[in-house]
Amino acid sequence: MHTMTDPEDNWLWIIGPGAIGRLLAASLMEARQRELCEHETSALPRVLLLGRQAMAGQAVVLDMTTPESPTFSVKLNYSTIDTLQDSPPRKPSAIWLTTKAHGVPGVWQQLAPHITPETPVTCWQNGLSAQPWLAERHANLLCASTTEGAWLPAETGANATPDADSTADEFQHLGVQHAGRGHTWLGAWQSDGDGDGDGEPDSQSHQAALVQCDWLRAAGFACEQTPDIQTRLWHKLAINAAINPLVARYRIRNGQLRDRPFAPMVRQAVEEISAVLDSEGIPAPRGGWQALVEQVIRATANNRASMLQDVLAGRPTEVEAILGPLRRTAARHGLALPLLDDLYCQLSTPQR
Ligand code: KPL
C-alpha cells in the first residue's frame, strides 16, 4: 500500500454553504481526491465548510451536477459557526467568505478570535460593501469576483433541513448545480493609499492570491490573478446594479428586460451607473457599458437573478451592497440617480 502525502495542517475554511460556497468546496475536494489517487500527493487544502445550520453529523456530502458530467458526490467536514467557540478546529491556512454581503459582519465577529492577522481571508461577495468593511479589520484581505453560475436545487434551498432519505447513509446531502462556466478574478485588496493600482508584488496577500488561483485552476475554474481587483468588483457591481434591482422589483426573468416597458429602464439605469463610474475614474469595458449589460442579459435571459430569488424567498437582498456604493459615490460627485434611488427605496422596504 502506498503512503499518501497529505499535509494535515492545510485547511481551507469556506464560510457560507450557499451555491458558490458549495460549488467551490465540492470542486476543490473532488480535485484533491483525484490528485491523491493519481499522484499520491496533493497541494490542495482540505476543506471545512462552515454554516449557521446544524447538520446531522460533522460531515456532509455535496452532490454536484455540472454542465458536462453526471452528478458526483464528495464528503467533507462541516461545522456550525456557533460551535467554533466550544471546539475550535485546526487553524485554517486560508478562509473564503461566501456568505451574502450583509452576513459578513456577523460572521466576522465569531470568526475573528480564531484566526491570526496573517491568515489570508478572501471575500467572494457581490457589491462593494463587505470588502471595504473587512479591510478596516483585517490586513491580509483578498477579493474574488466570479461569473461562475451556480444554483441550489429547489429541494435543498438555502434553508434546507435534514430529511429522512438524506440521512440514509448517515450524512446529510447538500445539492448544488453548476449551471454555467465563467471566469474568476482574484486579487489582493488595495486599501486607499496602498499604491497606484499596480499592486505590491511581495505582499502577503499577493502571494496568497497566486496560491489560491492555483487551487482554483486545479479545481477546473478559469482563474486569473489581478493587481486591480477593485476595478473588477466595480464592473460586476455595474452589471448587477443594471439588472438585479429591476428584475427583483418587477419579478421578471432577465431576458424580459429586452422588452417594453423595461428596455428603456435598463438604458436609464446604465446611464446613471456609467456616470458614477466615469466620475470615479473606473475604466469602462471595451465595447461600452450598454453593450456589456445587453450581452449579460442575452447570456442569462432565462435566469431568475439572485436578487429576485431572494425577494421571492422572503430573504434580505443585496440591494445595499450593490446600490449603496453607487449612491454614496454619486452623492460625493453631486450626481442624481433618479431611477436607482427609486428602486433602492422600493427594495429596501420589506417585499411581499
Ligand atoms: O449575477 C447575476 C445575478 O443573478 O446576481 C446576473 C449576472 C444578473 C445573472 O442573473
Side-chain angles (χ1 to χ4, degrees):
M1 202 171 143
H2 299 249
T3 323
M4 296 195 177
T5 313
D6 181 12
E8 283 287 320
D9 55 355
N10 190 11
W11 280 91
L12 167 67
W13 291 5
I14 297 184
I15 304 180
I20 286 292
R22 292 181 196 186
L23 170 73
L24 296 169
S27 306
L28 271 172
M29 283 304 281
E30 199 262 342
R32 184 172 181 281
Q33 281 167 8
R34 195 170 4 92
E35 289 188 356
L36 285 173
C37 263
E38 288 170 8
H39 310 296
E40 300 178 358
T41 176
S42 174
L44 293 174
R46 289 155 181 255
V47 175
L48 171 66
L49 189 60
L50 284 142
R52 293 225 164 269
Q53 203 184 329
M55 297 287 165
Q58 291 183 332
V60 291
V61 175
L62 290 181
D63 301 315
M64 180 161 121
T65 44
T66 75
E68 304 88 11
S69 52
T71 305
F72 71 81
S73 300
V74 285
K75 191 175 126 197
L76 76 166
N77 291 63
Y78 179 91
S79 183
T80 58
I81 301 169
D82 296 340
T83 55
L84 280 180
Q85 218 104 321
D86 316 325
S87 50
R90 218 177 285 269
K91 292 275 180 219
S93 34
I95 289 179
W96 286 358
L97 287 178
T98 56
T99 61
K100 296 266 183 181
H102 46 258
V104 168
V107 161
W108 185 251
Q109 207 186 353
Q110 288 176 292
L111 191 63
H114 303 287
I115 60 169
T116 64
E118 290 77 38
T119 312
V121 175
T122 305
C123 275
W124 286 80
Q125 284 67 35
N126 276 334
L128 259 165
S129 65
Q131 302 87 343
W133 184 90
L134 200 50
E136 285 179 11
R137 290 157 178 85
H138 190 72
N140 196 357
L141 185 67
L142 287 67
C143 295
S145 177
T146 188
T147 57
E148 294 291 336
W151 316 114
L152 298 182
E155 69 275 16
T156 61
N159 300 317
T161 49
D163 62 47
D165 287 350
S166 68
T167 54
D169 56 6
E170 289 178 40
F171 296 108
Q172 182 165 347
H173 286 240
L174 301 177
V176 60
Q177 217 173 314
H178 191 188
R181 298 216 167 259
H183 200 94
T184 301
W185 287 269
L186 194 73
W189 176 265
Q190 306 277 311
S191 291
D192 287 346
D194 259 9
D196 53 6
D198 58 7
E200 297 171 24
D202 296 326
S203 77
Q204 268 183 329
S205 317
H206 179 80
Q207 293 305 324
L210 292 174
V211 169
Q212 295 186 14
C213 256
D214 285 346
W215 294 349
L216 286 161
R217 286 196 202 109
F221 297 104
C223 178
E224 225 173 292
Q225 192 273 342
T226 171
D228 185 11
I229 191 65
Q230 263 100 327
T231 294
R232 288 286 162 200
L233 292 169
W234 272 115
H235 278 215
K236 175 109 192 274
L237 179 148
I239 293 166
N240 287 138
I243 297 175
N244 292 17
L246 278 172
V247 294
R249 161 73 182 82
Y250 293 104
R251 303 186 180 212
I252 53 174
R253 286 185 191 262
N254 294 0
Q256 290 173 268
L257 290 176
R258 293 174 292 189
D259 306 330
R260 288 209 152 259
F262 308 115
M265 297 184 199
V266 175
R267 269 195 299 279
Q268 184 179 343
V270 173
E271 274 165 26
E272 292 180 12
I273 294 161
S274 55
V276 176
L277 299 193
D278 284 350
S279 69
E280 194 67 3
I282 309 295
R286 215 173 295 150
W289 288 111
Q290 296 285 358
L292 177 63
V293 169
E294 277 165 28
Q295 180 205 320
V296 175
I297 291 173
R298 222 180 9 256
T300 62
N302 213 22
N303 284 12
R304 280 206 181 94
S306 51
M307 197 178 287
L308 173 58
Q309 293 184 42
D310 288 337
V311 165
L312 295 175
R315 293 189 293 260
T317 71
E318 295 186 303
V319 70
E320 181 59 51
I322 292 170
L323 294 185
L326 282 172
R327 283 160 45 90
R328 284 190 290 280
T329 310
R332 223 171 349 99
H333 293 283
L335 295 167
L337 302 177
L339 175 61
L340 296 181
D341 277 348
D342 186 44
L343 288 166
Y344 175 86
C345 291
Q346 301 203 33
L347 291 162
S348 300
T349 51
Q351 305 289 299
R352 281 185 302 129

